[in-house]
Amino acid sequence: MTATPRSRRLRTLAAALVTTAALSLTACQTGTADATGVVDSTQPPAPGTESAEKQSPATGTDSDTSGASNDSNDSGSSVNSGGSGKEATQVAGRKAPAKTTSCTAKGTKVTVTDAPRPINHLLIKATNTSDTTCHLYYAPYLRFDQAQSAVPFIEESKPQAVVTLEPGESGYAGVLTSTPDGSHPYDATSLTLYYAARSGQGSTGAPSHPALPFDSVRIDSSNAVTYWQTSAADALMW
């Protein structure tokens, strides 16, 4: 049977009505987008959104995010604090440079003994009795009795380094008292020992007054003293 123009118009109208109804239903379910593509927030959410929100509530999400942020901050703070604390511990744990000073009578005990060899020699021993490291610079300035000048140094005895005494350690100096070729002999009954200054100019600190090994010691023009040494053997080589 051949379709008449009227029946074709009816079918076309029916199809248009069906299409319009379908578009209306879809708009109700998904919301309406404006010209910029933004969905109208007043429209109900699309299917599945509500159940997703129920499974992951907004408050729970904020809490989790905040917790993660706090953990991150706390972790960072801990690391920073730990780092700072470690650095502070390292600084506190570093030993300060050891304090040193020139040896003087205040923290040094001096003894003088007779050396059996070589003959006509005395051995001076200076022991650090303080709790601080000290240095014996150059050679001791010695004056027997009321001599006008100090005993000359034996330059050949000069060591390569300054003698340094830790607490309890000792330094030594040898004294040549006289020789057969010496002149102007006399018998000395006292000795004063001055400690050389680091600069080499004069003495430093209070002097020591060690007792002589005998009531008197024969001194003449050959009288001389070595530089400070680290051993008695080195001090008695000249």
Side-chain angles (χ1 to χ4, degrees):
M1 183 176 63
T2 302
T4 64
R6 180 178 180 184
S7 61
R8 284 198 296 270
R9 287 196 299 271
L10 291 175
R11 284 197 296 270
T12 300
L13 179 60
L17 291 175
V18 171
T19 300
T20 301
L23 291 175
S24 299
L25 178 60
T26 301
C28 290
Q29 291 176 342
T30 60
T32 303
D34 58 16
T36 62
V38 178
V39 177
D40 186 355
S41 62
T42 60
Q43 300 299 328
T49 303
E50 182 178 356
S51 60
E53 290 179 351
K54 289 183 179 178
Q55 293 175 359
S56 181
T59 54
T61 303
D62 292 342
S63 175
D64 293 342
T65 303
S66 175
S69 176
N70 289 339
D71 290 344
S72 175
N73 291 338
D74 292 343
S75 175
S77 299
S78 298
V79 171
N80 293 337
S81 298
S84 300
K86 184 177 181 180
E87 291 175 0
T89 301
Q90 290 176 344
V91 171
R94 292 174 190 162
K95 291 183 178 180
K99 181 181 179 181
T100 61
T101 185
S102 298
C103 298
T104 64
K106 184 177 181 180
T108 307
K109 179 181 178 181
V110 177
T111 59
V112 179
T113 57
D114 179 47
R117 293 183 182 180
I119 62 172
N120 301 329
H121 276 70
L122 299 177
L123 178 65
I124 298 175
K125 178 181 179 181
T127 302
N128 183 2
T129 58
S130 71
D131 57 0
T132 302
T133 299
C134 69
H135 303 292
L136 290 170
Y137 292 106
Y138 305 100
Y141 290 113
L142 303 180
R143 290 183 186 275
F144 286 96
D145 290 347
Q146 301 300 318
Q148 295 298 313
S149 60
V151 175
F153 297 167
I154 300 176
E155 292 299 329
E156 294 84 355
S157 68
K158 188 175 183 178
Q160 295 183 350
V162 174
V163 174
T164 300
L165 303 182
E166 298 289 340
E169 292 184 339
S170 300
Y172 304 85
V175 182
L176 171 63
T177 57
S178 63
T179 66
D181 298 330
S183 60
H184 307 295
Y186 69 97
D187 293 328
T189 59
S190 65
L191 174 64
T192 301
L193 183 153
Y194 297 86
Y195 299 86
R198 180 179 181 179
S199 64
Q201 303 298 317
S203 62
T204 182
S208 293
H209 301 278
L212 294 174
F214 309 108
D215 290 339
S216 63
V217 174
R218 175 58 60 94
I219 301 296
D220 65 20
S221 59
S222 60
N223 184 203
V225 62
T226 69
Y227 280 72
W228 288 110
Q229 309 292 328
T230 56
S231 71
D234 289 342
L236 295 174
M237 288 180 62
W238 290 271

